[in-house]
Amino acid sequence: MNKNEKLLIIPLGGLGEIGKNMTVFRYGDDIIIVDSGLAFPEEDMLGIDLVIPDMSYLFDNKDKIKAVVLTHGHEDHIGSLFYLLRQVDVPVYGSRLTLGLVEGRLKEYAVSDRNLIPVGPGDAITLGQFEVGFIRVNHSIADALAVYLKTPLGTVVHTGDFKLDQTPVDGQIIDIHKFAELGNQGVLVLLSDSTNAEREGYTKSERTVSEALDEHFSSAKGRIILTTFASNVSRLQQAINSACEYGRKVALLGRSMVTVITKATELGYMTIPEGVLIGVDEIGRYPENQILILTTGSQGEPMAALSRLASRSHRSLELAPGDTVLIAANPIPGNERSVGRTIDALLRLGIHVVYERSSGIHVSGHGSQEELKLILNLVRPKFLIPVHGEHRMLKQHGKLATEIGIPKENVFIGENGHVFEFTAETGRFAGKVTAGKIFVDGLGVGDVGNIVIRDRRQLSKDGVLIVVVTLDKARGCILDGPDIVSRGFVYVRDSDALIDESRKIVKSVLERFENQPITEWAPLKAGIREALGKYLFAKTGRRPMILPIIMDL
Amino acid sequence: MNKNEKLLIIPLGGLGEIGKNMTVFRYGDDIIIVDSGLAFPEEDMLGIDLVIPDMSYLFDNKDKIKAVVLTHGHEDHIGSLFYLLRQVDVPVYGSRLTLGLVEGRLKEYAVSDRNLIPVGPGDAITLGQFEVGFIRVNHSIADALAVYLKTPLGTVVHTGDFKLDQTPVDGQIIDIHKFAELGNQGVLVLLSDSTNAEREGYTKSERTVSEALDEHFSSAKGRIILTTFASNVSRLQQAINSACEYGRKVALLGRSMVTVITKATELGYMTIPEGVLIGVDEIGRYPENQILILTTGSQGEPMAALSRLASRSHRSLELAPGDTVLIAANPIPGNERSVGRTIDALLRLGIHVVYERSSGIHVSGHGSQEELKLILNLVRPKFLIPVHGEHRMLKQHGKLATEIGIPKENVFIGENGHVFEFTAETGRFAGKVTAGKIFVDGLGVGDVGNIVIRDRRQLSKDGVLIVVVTLDKARGCILDGPDIVSRGFVYVRDSDALIDESRKIVKSVLERFENQPITEWAPLKAGIREALGKYLFAKTGRRPMILPIIMDL
């Protein structure tokens, strides 16, 4: 051990926002990456499909990377792995279900999955100067792990996403003994999930959902349609258990529902008795009170199965009065309206919809304040870095830490790209590395930036108006045009007068330049944009993007 | 009274959605309109500024309209009046504060305000065959009224927006005696506010906010910045009272804050002791613990004062650690993310932010389940039309009504445009009239429809690519071009190869048409769109709008 060596912890995602979790641990020339997630675009990121972390720091230090370690199989923890692995050839460690889900995603991007190495709770491996170990935690997906990293300077614990479920559906409770043991041995830094840091008390056990489900299964007279996150294997297992108990067959709707359940069953994370699963085309063969349909669309996503059912535009199924829809998920912030619209549309069809938070058919996958404090008390870290949360949640998590006795100066509330540097005794903020959002749009990763987004924003507001004119460059006179084409600006058929007048305005600008050889187009184009912009705004109150195009002969 | 005359109730807004409230009451040849509101656009209504009700039914029956009656001064009840009054010259009745706010809005649209007639609680006027009376209610704006309409067939009561505040700040409690009196005399139809029909219990009194505010005012060491809806005059009055008590001067930030407080003070709905109000430029002259700033932006609106303060881009004020921001409003569904971003940005500046629902500095303006049932029990209507709410809220309201003994078949859950027809004994659904959303975009009302919005949606996702070529029409050969211009598609400087190849593809399409006189452009343009669309999607995974423009000589 080099006396001067420091431990660096660099979050490239997960701070100050939900999604795209990624944390870099560096000791000397060894780098371990925990998680490689994605985020879904916010409403102002027009046309963007996915958002992934800027990985420049990793690409600049390719040769140092020893491994990627995954905590669980949610998209916000595995979804940008394809991008990392395209450029860096390193082993990826994770639980079997996590890797099963990763495999599917890598295949979509044609990235090899030969580097995937399964690990389980209790396992520990040596990666360069790190010893990396895995701890079972409870979360809204099976097979979730926390990670600890032992270094010559001390031990770091990263909880991943977790809650303390004392009565989990699969019987696999979070390994609180391991957290206690590590705490007894001494932990230098804890990185812990802050999602529910604003929520008082304890998060309820997934098992409480069973009771609520049974109630609805025992009273429903028609078909039951249940929607939740496809990745919530425990929830789906409970629904299937209820179905078996009440003599209902189970059909799956939606691609990700089929993918995840197939994978989870294959790997032994779900058990579906033979003869229970039926095809969507077989639904009609059974009485309505013998049917459970598991479907995607719990977030009101317009293209998902539930939304299509609600708008009566699903290819192979139609809902009817007498059916019961159970929405076993809360809207993620930003999705409230679309979820509300889906519920309204279902109710209009005369369908019974269960959706209230109070209905008990959904519980969070993240620990609340008491659980966060329990982990803090078990692990007793010298330093805390709250992760996985918006800034106010990180702050609140930090407050909880000071309440249980961690000095305020030992809590680091940071931003993505911040470098936290530790010795065996000290911790400090030590500058920044490149970090940020990379947009994925179609096949392009990172080629859409602020300029393109800004243009899309203008186009989305008031559309575009194109002016084309063919000029005789030598004499500066018009040979053809000006022609005007617009989209997204006004309804063209009702706007003849406006377009005619626009044409006249362009002509009068061109006249200013007439009878002289034109050496550059810029002033002419600027003149058109200005005169036309002024006129159109006065007439319509709108500012379309004006694109003058000049052809010359 | 003609024995065959029916009473028609036609909601043109307010059913199945929040915003743009408008209800039509027709008896014989007399029409009374209650409220004329607007809604703010949803996220998929690109570029739209406001959404107002389709008023075709009213414009087709202009000569029958006797009056517009306003319940209160919120935008979702008065915001489309300008559009109605532009076409129909009728008197407008409302309370003084309501009309004060209407005046300002009409002025903006250059619509005359000569028809505004103030009324107050207890007043009753005869309008055609209707007797229209006004009842005081509590709401999150002062001077809110319920309306009753007596007709030869029976009495209709429309609550407007209301809650039961037993200890209102202005001492003016909802007139429960009048509701009781009408109930005793017999009410045919009740239209009642459904906003909080999903919320159990009672809505808290606005007065409880005072206590919560006092707590923060007594502990804050620096400046206090409070944000709420500018129209919430009671809330603002309480903040000013606290300011006076704790020796703070008050400055106003944001146009609507200044407008509403000026109007409310002028009309006597607010009392601000002399010397308390100061200009924003005077803030620096006082110690920080002697300042309260009232500001707009409680919904995280990007252009509002609070967002500008949070992003340090406000013209005349900068916040600093030690300041306290009180967010005395809950996010309206759909605004959670933007409010969250504003809070995070403020916290990053080291500012103390109070925002939780549990902080007590906000209460709803709408009655919860117990209040809705109380009104139902007081009024004892034969029929109920739940209004002002999304479909699931209307349904829940209907359920409450059946719980207190109204037969299920006497509850009408409708959609905008539905015609409900009543005799003294019966009520039924009697068909539909035109109803829907009219988009306001800039100066245009109704000129932007689905085609324009669809184009904006495509433009917003993948941008636009324009192909211009000058052809010799007679010989079908290229004289100039093809030139390619794109916006919002790819970053042009990094896309030379893509654009070059696109140009080649266009040329090869044009070659197919060469050496023959071209009689129509459509097949040529379709050919370009198809070939280029296929190529660009294969290369980028995006589908920009492709606009081929052909000039000919």
Side-chain angles (χ1 to χ4, degrees):
Chain A
M1 164 183 175
N2 179 336
K3 280 271 175 194
N4 295 321
E5 216 63 278
K6 305 277 196 329
L7 168 69
L8 305 183
I9 300 181
I10 311 170
L12 293 181
L15 295 196
E17 58 197 278
I18 297 287
K20 67 181 191 66
N21 292 280
M22 181 174 231
T23 315
V24 176
F25 297 86
R26 177 171 177 172
Y27 181 75
D29 279 345
D30 295 337
I31 283 179
I32 305 290
I33 303 164
V34 174
D35 289 336
S36 183
L38 62 74
F40 293 99
E42 300 191 12
E43 58 278 16
D44 58 348
M45 301 174 187
L46 297 175
I48 298 303
D49 300 317
L50 308 171
V51 182
I52 62 178
D54 187 327
M55 303 185 190
S56 310
Y57 177 79
L58 295 173
F59 299 153
D60 291 345
N61 292 281
K62 269 186 199 180
D63 53 318
K64 301 189 178 68
I65 303 174
K66 292 288 169 277
V68 183
V69 170
L70 303 174
T71 58
H72 63 283
H74 278 154
E75 288 292 352
D76 58 336
H77 293 258
I78 67 167
S80 62
L81 200 56
F82 77 94
Y83 182 60
L84 181 66
L85 293 187
R86 263 188 201 166
Q87 317 231 11
V88 187
D89 189 28
V90 288
V92 177
Y93 296 87
S95 65
R96 285 193 312 136
L97 181 61
T98 304
L99 297 184
L101 295 169
V102 164
E103 253 172 52
R105 302 289 283 134
L106 292 183
K107 209 169 285 169
E108 279 176 47
Y109 289 98
V111 173
S112 158
D113 58 7
R114 70 192 154 82
N115 284 327
L116 307 187
I117 304 163
V119 290
D123 288 353
I125 43 177
T126 301
L127 297 164
Q129 298 178 80
F130 287 93
E131 184 196 329
V132 179
F134 302 91
I135 314 170
R136 181 194 311 290
V137 295
N138 301 120
H139 185 44
S140 48
I141 185 169
D143 232 10
L145 299 169
V147 175
Y148 65 85
L149 304 98
K150 292 194 175 173
T151 75
L153 290 173
T155 301
V156 181
V157 175
H158 189 318
T159 64
D161 292 3
F162 82 100
K163 71 172 174 178
L164 169 65
D165 193 336
Q166 314 228 36
T167 54
V169 174
D170 59 5
Q172 306 285 336
I173 179 180
I174 176 174
D175 188 354
I176 36 182
H177 296 89
K178 186 66 191 179
F179 284 103
E181 184 192 315
L182 290 167
N184 275 333
Q185 294 165 355
V187 168
L188 184 64
V189 190
L190 172 69
L191 294 92
S192 180
D193 178 2
S194 311
T195 311
N196 277 347
E198 296 182 303
R199 218 183 275 181
E200 288 178 13
Y202 273 95
T203 299
K204 278 192 184 178
S205 169
E206 187 69 25
R207 183 159 309 215
T208 60
V209 170
S210 271
E211 294 156 27
L213 285 179
D214 274 359
E215 231 171 81
H216 294 293
F217 273 76
S218 70
S219 64
K221 302 264 183 297
R223 294 176 296 190
I224 296 179
I225 298 90
L226 183 140
T227 184
T228 187
F229 298 104
S231 62
N232 196 333
V233 169
S234 304
R235 183 83 39 89
L236 295 169
Q237 180 69 62
Q238 292 187 86
I240 290 169
N241 293 351
S242 295
C244 293
E245 200 180 322
Y246 291 92
R248 286 176 186 260
K249 301 286 177 188
V250 180
L252 308 181
L253 223 55
R255 198 170 61 104
S256 64
M257 196 54 83
V258 174
T259 311
V260 174
I261 291 191
T262 307
K263 185 56 83 176
T265 314
E266 195 183 299
L267 295 174
Y269 291 95
M270 285 184 76
T271 316
I272 309 179
E274 208 151 320
V276 167
L277 223 50
I278 60 168
V280 174
D281 52 323
E282 298 175 273
I283 291 173
R285 296 193 208 155
Y286 297 86
E288 304 211 320
N289 63 0
Q290 289 177 23
I291 292 293
L292 166 67
I293 298 161
L294 299 176
T295 175
T296 54
S298 68
Q299 296 301 306
E301 307 93 321
M303 303 313 280
L306 188 64
S307 305
R308 289 181 185 276
L309 290 171
S311 62
R312 287 180 162 275
S313 61
H314 196 279
R315 215 159 16 97
S316 43
L317 189 66
E318 203 162 282
L319 297 187
D323 290 340
T324 297
V325 171
L326 305 176
I327 301 183
N330 279 343
I332 292 171
N335 293 344
E336 291 84 354
R337 274 198 194 189
S338 55
V339 174
R341 268 196 293 267
T342 304
I343 293 170
D344 280 350
L346 290 167
L347 287 171
R348 282 197 175 95
L349 298 177
I351 289 153
H352 179 55
V353 187
V354 180
Y355 59 93
E356 298 96 347
R357 200 179 275 255
S358 57
S359 69
I361 58 173
H362 175 69
V363 296
S364 171
H366 299 269
S368 300
Q369 293 184 349
E370 294 307 311
E371 288 150 278
L372 299 184
K373 284 188 277 184
L374 183 67
I375 287 293
L376 282 162
N377 273 317
L378 282 170
V379 175
R380 290 190 213 136
K382 193 169 169 67
F383 298 99
L384 170 71
I385 304 178
V387 293
H388 203 284
E390 296 178 38
H391 192 77
R392 60 187 184 283
M393 302 162 189
L394 307 180
K395 276 227 160 179
Q396 185 60 43
H397 198 168
K399 223 173 119 194
L400 295 175
T402 58
E403 277 170 30
I404 66 132
I406 296 181
K408 204 175 166 187
E409 61 275 18
N410 286 8
V411 175
F412 295 115
I413 311 285
E415 305 278 341
N416 295 325
H418 281 188
V419 178
F420 298 104
E421 184 191 272
F422 298 92
T423 66
E425 299 298 328
T426 65
R428 67 179 192 105
F429 169 72
K432 294 179 192 181
V433 303
T434 304
K437 302 178 175 83
I438 300 281
F439 295 148
V440 179
D441 180 5
L443 301 174
V445 178
D447 65 332
V448 167
N450 289 333
I451 293 177
V452 172
I453 296 286
R454 196 195 58 205
D455 284 347
R456 287 183 186 170
R457 207 165 292 150
Q458 193 187 350
L459 290 167
S460 78
K461 275 188 190 138
D462 290 327
V464 61
L465 187 130
I466 302 143
V467 181
V468 189
V469 61
T470 306
L471 291 186
D472 182 326
K473 200 172 181 177
R475 292 180 299 148
C477 70
I478 300 175
L479 295 176
D480 190 24
D483 281 12
I484 290 187
V485 175
S486 88
R487 287 291 187 282
F489 168 48
V490 290
Y491 187 55
V492 177
R493 293 202 184 164
D494 297 342
S495 308
D496 287 346
L498 189 79
I499 300 299
D500 281 347
E501 185 60 32
S502 298
R503 219 175 273 124
K504 277 184 205 150
I505 287 167
V506 175
K507 271 189 192 152
S508 73
V509 173
L510 293 171
E511 274 163 19
R512 280 194 254 141
F513 292 85
E514 218 168 17
N515 299 323
Q516 46 185 323
I518 296 171
T519 49
E520 44 175 357
W521 297 124
L524 210 165
K525 288 182 177 180
I528 291 174
R529 258 195 297 264
E530 199 200 321
L532 206 49
K534 208 182 264 175
Y535 168 72
L536 294 173
F537 185 74
K539 279 287 170 187
T540 66
R542 299 172 204 166
R543 300 189 187 282
M545 181 182 281
I546 298 172
L547 294 176
I549 301 176
I550 296 165
M551 308 292 283
D552 59 282
L553 290 176
Chain B
M1 163 182 175
N2 177 338
K3 280 271 174 190
N4 294 321
E5 214 65 277
K6 305 279 196 327
L7 168 67
L8 306 183
I9 301 182
I10 311 170
L12 293 180
L15 295 196
E17 59 198 276
I18 297 287
K20 66 182 193 65
N21 292 280
M22 180 174 232
T23 315
V24 177
F25 297 85
R26 176 170 177 174
Y27 181 76
D29 280 344
D30 294 338
I31 283 177
I32 306 289
I33 303 163
V34 174
D35 289 336
S36 183
L38 61 74
F40 294 99
E42 299 190 15
E43 59 279 16
D44 58 347
M45 301 174 186
L46 298 175
I48 299 303
D49 299 320
L50 309 170
V51 181
I52 63 177
D54 186 326
M55 302 184 190
S56 311
Y57 178 80
L58 295 173
F59 300 152
D60 291 346
N61 292 282
K62 269 186 198 178
D63 53 317
K64 301 189 178 67
I65 302 172
K66 292 288 168 278
V68 184
V69 171
L70 303 176
T71 59
H72 63 283
H74 278 153
E75 288 293 353
D76 58 337
H77 293 257
I78 66 168
S80 62
L81 200 56
F82 78 94
Y83 182 60
L84 181 67
L85 293 186
R86 264 189 202 164
Q87 317 231 11
V88 187
D89 189 29
V90 289
V92 178
Y93 296 87
S95 64
R96 286 193 309 136
L97 181 61
T98 304
L99 297 184
L101 294 168
V102 164
E103 253 173 51
R105 301 290 283 135
L106 292 183
K107 207 169 288 170
E108 279 176 46
Y109 290 97
V111 173
S112 157
D113 58 7
R114 69 194 156 81
N115 283 328
L116 308 187
I117 304 162
V119 290
D123 288 355
I125 44 177
T126 301
L127 296 164
Q129 299 177 79
F130 288 93
E131 184 197 329
V132 179
F134 302 91
I135 315 169
R136 181 193 312 289
V137 293
N138 300 120
H139 185 44
S140 48
I141 184 168
D143 232 9
L145 299 170
V147 176
Y148 64 85
L149 302 97
K150 292 195 174 171
T151 76
L153 290 173
T155 301
V156 181
V157 175
H158 190 318
T159 64
D161 292 3
F162 82 100
K163 70 173 175 179
L164 169 65
D165 193 336
Q166 313 229 38
T167 54
V169 174
D170 60 4
Q172 305 284 337
I173 179 180
I174 175 175
D175 188 353
I176 36 184
H177 297 89
K178 187 66 190 177
F179 284 103
E181 184 193 316
L182 290 166
N184 275 333
Q185 294 165 358
V187 169
L188 185 63
V189 191
L190 171 69
L191 295 91
S192 181
D193 177 3
S194 311
T195 312
N196 278 347
E198 295 182 303
R199 220 184 272 182
E200 288 178 12
Y202 273 95
T203 300
K204 279 191 180 180
S205 169
E206 186 68 25
R207 185 160 308 215
T208 61
V209 171
S210 272
E211 294 155 30
L213 285 180
D214 274 358
E215 231 171 81
H216 293 292
F217 273 77
S218 69
S219 64
K221 303 262 182 299
R223 296 177 294 191
I224 295 178
I225 298 91
L226 183 140
T227 183
T228 188
F229 298 104
S231 61
N232 195 333
V233 169
S234 303
R235 183 83 41 87
L236 295 170
Q237 180 70 62
Q238 292 187 83
I240 290 169
N241 293 350
S242 294
C244 293
E245 201 180 321
Y246 291 92
R248 287 176 185 260
K249 300 288 178 188
V250 179
L252 308 180
L253 223 55
R255 197 171 61 105
S256 64
M257 196 54 83
V258 174
T259 311
V260 174
I261 290 189
T262 307
K263 185 55 82 175
T265 313
E266 196 182 298
L267 294 172
Y269 292 93
M270 284 183 76
T271 317
I272 308 180
E274 206 151 325
V276 167
L277 223 50
I278 61 168
V280 174
D281 52 323
E282 297 175 275
I283 291 174
R285 294 193 209 155
Y286 298 86
E288 304 210 320
N289 62 359
Q290 289 177 23
I291 292 293
L292 166 67
I293 299 162
L294 299 176
T295 175
T296 53
S298 68
Q299 296 301 306
E301 308 93 321
M303 303 313 282
L306 188 63
S307 304
R308 289 180 185 277
L309 289 172
S311 62
R312 289 179 161 276
S313 60
H314 196 279
R315 218 159 12 96
S316 43
L317 189 65
E318 201 162 284
L319 297 188
D323 290 341
T324 297
V325 171
L326 305 176
I327 301 183
N330 279 342
I332 291 172
N335 293 344
E336 291 84 355
R337 274 201 195 188
S338 55
V339 174
R341 269 196 292 267
T342 304
I343 294 171
D344 279 350
L346 290 166
L347 286 172
R348 283 199 175 92
L349 297 178
I351 288 153
H352 179 55
V353 187
V354 180
Y355 60 92
E356 298 94 348
R357 199 179 273 256
S358 58
S359 70
I361 57 175
H362 174 68
V363 296
S364 171
H366 300 270
S368 302
Q369 294 183 349
E370 294 307 311
E371 289 150 278
L372 300 184
K373 285 188 277 186
L374 184 68
I375 287 294
L376 282 162
N377 273 317
L378 283 169
V379 174
R380 290 189 212 138
K382 194 170 169 65
F383 298 98
L384 171 70
I385 304 178
V387 293
H388 204 285
E390 296 178 39
H391 194 76
R392 60 187 184 283
M393 303 163 188
L394 307 180
K395 277 228 157 178
Q396 185 60 43
H397 197 167
K399 222 172 119 194
L400 295 175
T402 59
E403 277 170 29
I404 67 132
I406 295 181
K408 204 175 165 188
E409 61 275 19
N410 286 8
V411 175
F412 295 115
I413 311 284
E415 304 279 341
N416 296 325
H418 282 188
V419 177
F420 298 104
E421 185 191 271
F422 298 92
T423 67
E425 299 298 330
T426 64
R428 67 179 192 105
F429 169 70
K432 295 180 192 182
V433 302
T434 304
K437 302 178 175 83
I438 300 281
F439 295 148
V440 180
D441 180 6
L443 301 174
V445 178
D447 66 333
V448 168
N450 289 334
I451 294 177
V452 172
I453 296 287
R454 197 195 56 204
D455 284 348
R456 287 182 187 172
R457 206 164 294 150
Q458 193 187 351
L459 289 168
S460 77
K461 274 187 191 140
D462 291 327
V464 62
L465 186 129
I466 302 142
V467 181
V468 189
V469 61
T470 307
L471 291 184
D472 182 325
K473 199 172 181 175
R475 293 180 299 149
C477 68
I478 300 175
L479 295 177
D480 190 25
D483 281 12
I484 291 187
V485 175
S486 88
R487 287 290 186 280
F489 168 48
V490 289
Y491 187 55
V492 177
R493 293 201 184 166
D494 297 341
S495 308
D496 286 347
L498 189 80
I499 300 299
D500 280 348
E501 185 60 32
S502 298
R503 218 175 272 124
K504 278 183 205 151
I505 288 168
V506 174
K507 271 189 192 154
S508 73
V509 172
L510 292 173
E511 275 162 18
R512 281 194 254 142
F513 293 84
E514 219 168 18
N515 299 322
Q516 45 185 319
I518 297 171
T519 48
E520 43 175 358
W521 298 125
L524 211 164
K525 287 183 177 178
I528 291 174
R529 258 196 296 263
E530 200 200 319
L532 207 48
K534 208 181 267 175
Y535 168 72
L536 294 174
F537 185 74
K539 279 286 171 188
T540 65
R542 298 171 204 166
R543 300 189 187 283
M545 181 182 280
I546 298 172
L547 293 176
I549 302 175
I550 296 165
M551 308 294 281
D552 60 280
L553 289 176

